[in-house]
Amino acid sequence: VPELPEVETVARQLAPLLRGCVLRRIEVLDPLLRAARRNLPCGRVVRNVTREGKQVAILLRAHGSRRIVHRLLCHLRMTGRLLWLPRGDASRDTRHLRARLVFDRGRLLFIDPRRFGTLRVLRGACAAGSGVDPTTRAFTPPALARLLAGSRQELKPWLLRQDRLVGLGNIYASEILFAARLDPRRRAGTLGPAETRRLWRATRRVLARAIACRGTTFSDFGDAGGRPGGFQRRLAVYGREHEACRRCGRPVRRIVQQGRSTFCCTSCQQGTRPGTDVAP
Ligand SMILES: [Zn+2]
């Protein structure tokens, strides 16, 4: 089953191929696919291909504008995949073809033997996740500092907001704050420059490791059912209440923030007071 890391990989592969392409038409071959047949965004230009949760998102803009007017969202589910054929590629369309997105520079085929995948056309930019994707180059320490500035929210719930950083869930938020040695209850807007940098680096590292682990699980197990992700075994704090902190040996604690569990080591993750930022 393609999970976040695999979808991330697909989006990253498609982005450079599709960016700037003009969408000519969408040919839906499978009646199960209820891709909106009205308001089809033809003539739009691909601005980017990204990931929205576990879906591949093809972002479309109008000519001469950077504003995203439509998104094509593809959920691959069990067996779906997206295959790009550049114009002039003589390859015959494969079996299990459910939809064909025809662009000026090629065709994107949505192939899905078990037909659980979905393809949707939505208007406008992502409503919930218009924030910065922490796996992209747009995510820099200054960008993070700008997002944090002025926020009175506690760090852990702040990380879960999808309008600042997109894609972080409950597990990664706890892991990232542990790796950054930051108290999850700190107010987001009080981080100094060195702490912001630690948070930035921890976010990058934890996500990269998680993505690498899922990938490993995939190639090792091969079958779609095996979901004991490699990252589960590497969790530092999440789900480890009362167990020994991997850094200091004291027990990991579970606290509740906005109705959700946060796992942390209150010894390693002591909140530095505002204005007493420590050197890296
Ligand atoms: Zn500790």
Side-chain angles (χ1 to χ4, degrees):
V1 181
E3 284 296 330
L4 184 148
E6 283 72 32
V7 177
E8 178 70 36
T9 305
V10 172
R12 285 184 191 185
Q13 287 169 341
L14 288 177
L17 299 169
L18 285 179
R19 239 179 254 135
C21 280
V22 179
L23 179 63
R24 296 290 187 216
R25 63 184 181 276
I26 300 176
E27 299 168 3
V28 177
L29 291 88
D30 183 349
L32 269 185
L33 267 190
R34 300 191 305 147
R37 286 163 189 274
R38 53 210 159 92
N39 304 324
L40 282 184
C42 298
R44 302 300 193 195
V45 183
V46 177
R47 177 165 162 196
N48 204 2
V49 183
T50 59
R51 169 179 48 75
E52 250 181 67
K54 292 174 192 173
Q55 301 185 86
V56 176
I58 301 174
L59 310 180
L60 299 166
R61 61 175 175 82
H63 282 281
S65 166
R66 285 180 56 77
R67 197 168 62 87
I68 292 159
V69 286
H70 282 101
R71 284 135 58 223
L72 295 177
L73 289 185
C74 186
H75 206 315
L76 301 172
R77 304 270 188 207
M78 302 286 288
T79 54
R81 65 194 177 95
L82 291 168
L83 179 65
W84 173 251
L85 295 179
R87 200 173 66 177
D89 189 315
S91 311
R92 303 272 308 270
D93 289 356
T94 37
R95 290 172 62 211
H96 307 299
L97 183 62
R98 301 184 67 198
R100 196 186 284 121
L101 309 183
V102 182
F103 295 90
D104 58 339
R105 288 191 244 143
R107 292 162 292 160
L108 187 65
L109 310 183
F110 180 30
I111 298 159
D112 184 13
R114 295 188 64 181
R115 301 166 78 196
F116 290 126
T118 58
L119 181 67
R120 293 183 299 151
V121 181
L122 298 181
R123 283 185 166 277
C126 181
S130 49
V132 175
D133 187 320
T135 61
T136 64
R137 286 181 189 177
F139 182 59
T140 59
L144 178 58
R146 277 194 297 275
L147 295 173
L148 290 164
S151 173
R152 297 177 49 78
Q153 200 168 22
E154 294 183 349
L155 268 177
K156 161 68 173 3
W158 188 90
L159 285 176
L160 297 182
R161 298 175 58 142
Q162 299 297 305
D163 62 334
R164 293 287 186 265
L165 296 180
V166 294
L168 297 182
N170 212 36
I171 295 177
Y172 297 138
S174 282
E175 292 296 309
I176 286 167
L177 289 171
F178 175 78
R181 304 193 308 281
L182 291 168
D183 189 319
R185 297 161 295 191
R186 267 286 288 282
R187 303 278 170 198
T190 65
L191 296 196
E195 291 170 319
T196 301
R197 203 174 171 82
R198 285 209 316 264
L199 180 59
W200 171 78
R201 184 175 294 129
T203 304
R204 285 280 210 204
R205 280 191 185 161
V206 168
L207 286 179
R209 223 174 285 153
I211 287 171
C213 287
R214 286 288 159 81
T216 303
T217 301
F218 238 70
S219 48
D220 284 354
F221 288 71
D223 90 309
R227 286 292 307 138
F231 195 69
Q232 307 292 88
R233 280 173 273 128
R234 303 197 186 194
L235 292 172
V237 283
Y238 187 85
R240 298 190 64 241
E241 189 183 12
H242 305 312
E243 290 177 44
C245 167
R246 298 199 200 281
R247 205 182 275 137
C248 72
R250 292 195 177 86
V252 169
R253 279 188 56 195
R254 185 180 71 89
I255 59 175
V256 175
Q257 292 177 288
Q258 294 192 351
R260 306 197 66 187
S261 290
T262 300
F263 296 88
C264 58
C265 173
T266 46
S267 172
C268 292
Q269 294 171 257
Q270 281 177 4
T272 318
R273 293 216 168 268
T276 57
D277 197 17
V278 289

